[in-house]
Structures are given as C-alpha cells and as structure tokens.
Amino acid sequence: MALNLLTDVPRFLFFTGKGGVGKTSLACSTAVHLAEAGKRVLLVSTDPASNVGQVFATELATTPRPIPAVAGLDALETDPDVAAEAYREKIVGPVRDLLPATEIAAITEGLSGSCTTEIASFNEFTDLLADPASTAAYDHVIFDTAPTGHTIRLLALPGDWSNFIETGKGVAACLGPMSGLEKHRDAYAGAVAALADPERTRLVLVARPDRSSLDEAARAAVELADRGMRRQYLVLNAVLPPDAVQGDDLAAALAARQQEALRELPEALRDLPQDRIGLRPGNVVGVPALRDLLAAHDGAPALADGAAHEDRADEPPLGVAYDLPAGLPVGLDALVDELAENDHGLVMCLGKGGVGKTTVAAAIAVALARRGHRVHLTTTDPAGRPEGVVRDPVDNLTVTRIDPGEAIAAYRDRVMRTKGAHLDADGRAQLAEDLLSPCNGEVAVFHAFSRILTQATRQFVVVDTAPTGHTLLLLDSTGSYHREVVRSMGPVQHFTTPLMRLQDPGLTRLVLVTLPETTPVLEARELEQDLARADLHPWAWVVNDSLAAAGPTSSLLRARAAAEGEHLREVADHAERVAILPTLAIEPSGAERLEQLSHLAPVPVSPTGR
C-alpha cells in the first residue's frame, strides 16, 4: 500500500514536529525514495542542530553536495553562523575603509546578536522558496526542519518581515541587521505565497504515538494552518508492531499506551492523511536503513520476524544480550543530593529536542522542593509545558513558563513606559513601530530569562530550555548583552551580567540531557563544544529513556537495548557526573512519579535477558 506522504508529492515538502520524533530519518528516507524513483532531489536541513550529514556519512556544506550512494540526491545544511558572517560582511565590507575603526567596531557589535543570525538564516531559507533559479535543477526540495517551536518561528518570519517592511515607517531599533531587508521584499512575498500554495507545498507533521508528541503536532497543525499551510499530512513514527510484545510486560505497557494515544488523537489531527511507521530495532543511519524505513507502515515493519531481521547488516540481531556499563547510576538521587547541599542555585537542562529535558527538569525541581528548598521551575521553550508534567501542587515549588507572546508584550510596554516617556508624539509613534520588529522577540525572551536568573541567588531556579538551536540563540543574546555592558561600564566599575551568572560554577549547574542513541549523543557533544566557547561547561549528563536500564525481554526491545551499549559507555567515560533513566511503562508525569525518578534501582539483566 502506497504511503500518503509519497502520493502526488509537490515540489516542496516540510518535515516538522517535536524534537526526537524522527523528522530527519523520514525526511532523508523520503529524499532517497524520490531520488531512486528518478527524481532530482535537494534535501535541506534548517535545524541548527542538524545531523543529516551523519545519517548519510557525508560531510555537508551550506551549498548542495551530492550524496555519493544515491544518484540524483544532493543535500545541504544551513549554517546560522556562516550565514550571519556573510550577512555582516555585506553590510560592513563596503564601509570598512571609509569609517573610523571605532565606528566599524560598533557596527560589527550591533550585528553580532541573534537578530542578525535569524535574518541571515531566513534569507537563505526564503531564497530557496522564492528564487526559481536557486532550485531550478531539482524536481523536489525537502526541508528537514528544527523542532516545532523554532520551525513555526522560521515559517512565520517571511510574513512577519513582509508586514514589518510594508507598515514600518520609522528607523528600526535593529537598523543594522535590517539594513539589507528592503531589497528582499519580493523574496519574502514569494516565500509566503509558496508556503500557502497546496500545489507547491506539503507540510508533513511527524509525531510519535504519545500524548505530548501528538499534542504538540496538533498545536503546530492549527498554528501553521492559520498561516496558510493547510496541506498537511501526519506520520506516526516508531509504532510498536503487534508481535513485539512477546509476553514482555514493558513492551505490552508501551504498546497499550501508544494505542490509547492513537485512539484519542487530538481533533486537529484526526482528519489528516495518515501513515504509520513501525519501530526499528536499530538507529536509522545509512542508505540501506533509510531505503527500508518507508517500507514500514501501518504500524508494522516490512520485516517484522526475527529471522528476517537477523540478516540485516544495518540493524542489530533480535534477541541479543545486553548490559549496563558497570557503576553507571540509575536515577537522579545522587545529582539531587549534591545540588541540595546548597540552598540556592541555577540548574539548566539543555539538549536536543525530544530527549526529555522537561521531564528531567521537572523531576529535579520536585525532588529539591520535597527536600524543603524553595524552587522555581520554568521553561524557555516556546512549546514547553512544565506545568503539564508536574500537574500536582507541590509545597515550595512555583511553576511558570516564559511565553514569547507575553514576554514581547511586556517588553514593548516597558520600553514605551520608560524610553517612550521622554519622546514627543511623533517619537513615540516611531518607537512603537520599531517595537513591531520581529527582532524584538529574542530580545524580549532574553530580558524575561535574565530576570529569572536573579532569583537563583536566593532560591533554586530550574530551567527547562528550548531545543539546542533556540537555546544557543538565547545564549548569544546573553553574550552580546555582556559585551555591551563591559564596554559601557569600563574596567573599574562592579557589575554582574546574566552571562557572568551562567559562568559561575558556584551558582549555575548545566545538565546535558540526551538519549542512548548515535545522533543525540553526538549532538550533545557538539552542544558541549558550543557552550565551551562561552566558557560554559556541563556539570552532569543525564541519559534518558534507556531500554538497557529497563530490562526488556521482547526481542525487538532487547535489540534496541543492545544498540545502546556503546553510547552509554561513551557518556560514562566522558562525563564527570552521569545519571541514567530507564524507559518506563507509565509516563513520568505527576509529582509522585517524577519524584520516583530520584529513587530508581538498576534492573538486573542476565546474559540472556530473562
């Protein structure tokens, strides 16, 4: 039976969804399928934490490069830093020899923030959509996008900037970054038209069959439909096939939980064309695995029996032995005990989308509160809902979220009340127009984040951060603000910036959250390197959702547990502090279940797993 997402494929396809649901695997598999059907295909990753290159074992660049194993397939990864540097040079280059060095330095600094990065990145994105010459050689252009919140922002930008250019009458507060926007007016309008045209564009919402993933997909479906993207398809990935249960209580519980979630699909998803892809025994890496992935639908892999899978070179054999590296602690107890030695501090949970940052942050917050400490749990993730994970009231615990819309509204109001109070009517009108700039979104979130950081000097603040790319933009804003303060205050004055708080190991503990899989561990290591450039260093690693720590007996789940071994050993050898959390039969939501994550014990596993 043909998959819906591969039927009458339009020119542009967007794969989006919550982090960790398999967007990249499905986008890459679709690209392979179309190329092997004789089409010329360009695969584009707009995810700041892209791993398309790792999936194909090919080094990619910001311009198309061929995938050697697949004729007709080219791929590129947009690089926000490279795009921003090129954008800066276009503005600074022509005046570098005309202005004093101090002015050039000021202009360069003004172009160093996240606003410039965002504009430069979406300029590349809109060119691919609106400039026929840039993709004329291809029949299809497939976008592997960042996790949902970041993607909605990206897809909204062409319209936001078109509106701002059309209605803005004053000089924007981010004039430096915006100085090249006017000439892109036609490109933005063309991108908006392409996104809203169902004959040219299809949006593929990817979700796993669990409530949080489906709820986020439903929110994205509604918001993107409101922005004109109504040709939507739903792909449910990693569905446990019926024969995977095999008398395993854990597998049976996971399958039952999935089926319940599928029966209760959110209303926004119920009428969408739908495909179901079965859970694979191993990671989907390499062309053979990508080719076979889309042979898996209706909830069962094309090769579901153990004998067939044993012959597959790209997947581990079913029924193999597995174990946990010696001494790897299961549960968060040791980490929480060490944190609780103080009565305040900042704990930031970071990582790729979909690795369980919200759960880990909520569990740490609940455990600290139950030990009698005052705790503020919050999130910088536009799609984050920590209150939905904690659910129950907990003494000493306050749960909030930094809502971008509310943060922007509060920022605009504050600027108008302060800076605007000293302006005449014309000046206030110009300032109000400035504040409509989409650049102010990151600035507003940064200010809200900074205010919360100050609380960490007198209580615990636990932050569930946005997926990697968005968090790095926030840290970029933090660094830019720090440099501006240092320059304006001079060496003799005492001050404390948000970046200085983050760099203080006595105050801030960074917790990297990952999964025991190739790509999440690789991306966590890359994030660690990005943080090091800002002199920020992880305090601990948490490996979440480990089947090896859960002790499954199902052949399929045991094969996946066996594949975790090398990744668990890598983290154990690399990190100073490590905790592992097992895959659980019941989702860890609600205060009681969250607190249990601090008091887990390893599941004994014999060489046969029985």
Side-chain angles (χ1 to χ4, degrees):
M1 187 176 75
L3 292 166
N4 285 303
L5 74 96
L6 297 178
T7 303
D8 299 325
V9 181
R11 188 140 194 274
F12 299 114
L13 291 94
F14 286 88
F15 286 81
T16 190
K18 185 175 179 177
V21 296
K23 297 184 303 293
T24 297
S25 297
L26 286 162
C28 293
S29 182
T30 300
V32 169
H33 175 91
L34 292 173
E36 293 187 339
K39 304 295 185 181
R40 287 280 293 150
V41 181
L42 175 63
L43 176 61
V44 180
S45 175
T46 64
D47 189 345
S50 173
N51 65 304
V52 170
Q54 286 83 20
V55 171
F56 284 107
T58 301
E59 185 175 349
L60 299 181
T62 56
T63 54
R65 287 188 177 180
I67 301 298
V70 185
L73 175 58
D74 294 346
L76 68 85
E77 292 177 336
T78 61
D79 187 320
D81 294 331
V82 171
E85 181 57 38
Y87 190 87
R88 279 190 290 269
E89 184 57 28
K90 285 182 181 178
I91 296 173
V92 176
V95 299
R96 182 173 282 111
D97 296 329
L98 303 176
L99 297 175
T102 53
E103 291 190 33
I104 294 297
I107 294 172
T108 302
E109 176 62 27
L111 293 167
S112 66
S114 58
C115 181
T116 299
T117 303
E118 184 176 72
I119 292 173
S121 296
F122 88 75
N123 277 350
E124 292 190 340
F125 168 72
T126 52
D127 285 345
L128 290 168
L129 281 170
D131 180 8
S134 66
T135 58
Y138 302 100
D139 299 302
H140 300 286
V141 182
I142 298 174
F143 292 86
D144 169 37
T145 70
T148 310
H150 191 275
T151 295
I152 289 174
R153 175 66 180 150
L154 178 64
L155 295 177
L157 281 172
D160 289 349
W161 283 115
S162 293
N163 292 337
F164 186 71
I165 294 170
E166 188 67 33
T167 60
K169 299 176 183 177
V171 178
C174 48
L175 177 60
M178 285 189 62
S179 59
L181 283 176
E182 178 67 29
K183 66 181 180 180
H184 288 283
R185 178 197 299 266
D186 292 341
Y188 300 151
V192 171
L195 291 170
D197 184 353
E199 297 304 315
R200 284 189 285 171
T201 301
R202 173 179 299 173
L203 177 72
V204 181
L205 296 164
V206 183
R208 292 209 172 196
D210 64 71
R211 282 197 173 89
S212 63
S213 178
L214 292 170
D215 287 345
E216 182 159 337
R219 286 193 294 270
V222 172
E223 186 160 350
L224 293 171
D226 289 343
R227 294 185 179 276
M229 296 189 69
R230 297 183 176 87
R231 189 177 184 182
Q232 300 178 359
Y233 285 67
L234 175 65
V235 177
L236 297 162
N237 192 31
V239 179
L240 270 170
D243 64 349
V245 175
Q246 297 175 339
D248 183 338
D249 291 343
L250 175 63
L254 295 176
R257 197 164 78 199
Q258 287 189 353
Q259 292 306 310
E260 181 181 3
L262 294 175
R263 286 192 300 271
E264 299 176 358
L265 273 180
E267 184 175 352
L269 304 178
R270 289 175 192 166
D271 295 329
L272 297 182
Q274 179 189 129
D275 294 311
R276 298 186 182 187
I277 307 298
L279 179 68
R280 311 303 294 185
N283 295 325
V284 182
V285 176
V287 173
L290 291 168
R291 183 181 296 123
D292 289 340
L293 179 63
L294 289 183
H297 55 95
D298 291 334
L303 299 176
D305 59 286
H309 278 293
E310 288 173 1
D311 296 330
R312 293 173 53 82
D314 57 306
E315 294 180 346
L318 300 184
V320 296
Y322 62 91
D323 57 15
L324 286 174
L328 194 60
V330 175
L332 299 172
D333 210 23
L335 298 185
V336 173
D337 283 347
E338 189 170 349
L339 289 170
E341 291 174 1
N342 298 318
D343 62 357
H344 68 278
L346 174 67
V347 182
M348 290 185 66
C349 294
L350 307 100
K352 172 181 162 65
V355 298
K357 296 186 302 296
T358 302
T359 298
V360 172
I364 290 173
V366 169
L368 287 170
R370 288 283 171 85
R371 284 166 167 76
H373 296 286
R374 286 197 307 130
V375 184
H376 181 178
L377 170 65
T378 191
T379 182
T380 64
D381 188 347
R385 298 291 186 276
E387 69 280 3
V389 176
V390 177
R391 292 192 322 192
D392 313 307
V394 177
D395 290 344
N396 303 313
L397 177 62
T398 301
V399 183
T400 67
R401 58 188 300 268
I402 299 175
D403 181 274
E406 294 176 2
I408 291 170
Y411 175 74
R412 289 173 178 164
D413 180 66
R414 185 169 61 256
V415 172
M416 290 301 297
R417 283 188 288 102
T418 54
K419 184 177 179 180
H422 307 291
L423 301 176
D424 59 19
D426 289 342
R428 285 178 60 83
Q430 180 174 305
L431 178 61
E433 298 239 6
D434 281 356
L435 292 171
L436 295 177
S437 162
C439 282
N440 287 305
E442 289 293 341
V443 176
V445 171
F446 162 71
H447 279 278
F449 174 65
S450 299
R451 287 194 298 275
I452 287 176
L453 288 189
T454 63
Q455 299 177 16
T457 60
R458 55 186 184 273
Q459 68 175 86
F460 280 105
V461 175
V462 181
V463 181
D464 162 38
T465 68
T468 304
H470 194 85
T471 294
L472 291 176
L473 283 176
L474 177 63
L475 294 177
D476 178 43
S477 295
T478 306
S480 297
Y481 177 80
H482 173 79
R483 291 189 294 272
E484 179 64 30
V485 170
V486 170
R487 185 170 58 248
S488 62
M489 298 291 286
V492 297
Q493 299 188 55
H494 176 75
F495 56 87
T496 301
T497 67
L499 181 63
M500 293 167 67
R501 296 190 193 280
L502 294 178
Q503 291 172 334
D504 180 359
L507 179 71
T508 299
R509 309 291 173 89
L510 304 182
V511 178
L512 275 186
V513 185
T514 188
L515 299 175
E517 300 172 10
T518 303
T519 299
V521 171
L522 176 63
E523 290 177 342
R525 294 289 294 267
E526 291 174 345
L527 173 58
E528 184 176 46
Q529 294 170 6
D530 287 331
L531 293 171
R533 286 193 280 273
D535 197 22
L536 301 174
H537 307 281
W539 175 73
W541 284 54
V542 174
V543 184
N544 190 34
D545 200 17
S546 169
L547 281 165
T553 58
S554 157
S555 294
L556 176 59
L557 298 189
R558 282 169 51 74
R560 291 189 66 85
E564 295 178 2
E566 63 177 297
H567 310 303
L568 293 173
R569 285 188 289 275
E570 178 185 352
V571 173
D573 292 342
H574 170 75
E576 182 177 351
R577 298 173 185 82
V578 183
I580 183 170
L581 298 178
T583 302
L584 300 174
I586 301 175
E587 288 185 284
S589 62
E592 295 304 320
R593 290 200 177 104
L594 288 170
E595 189 177 15
Q596 290 171 9
L597 295 180
S598 297
H599 310 298
L600 296 170
V603 175
V605 179
S606 72
T608 62
R610 298 185 185 280

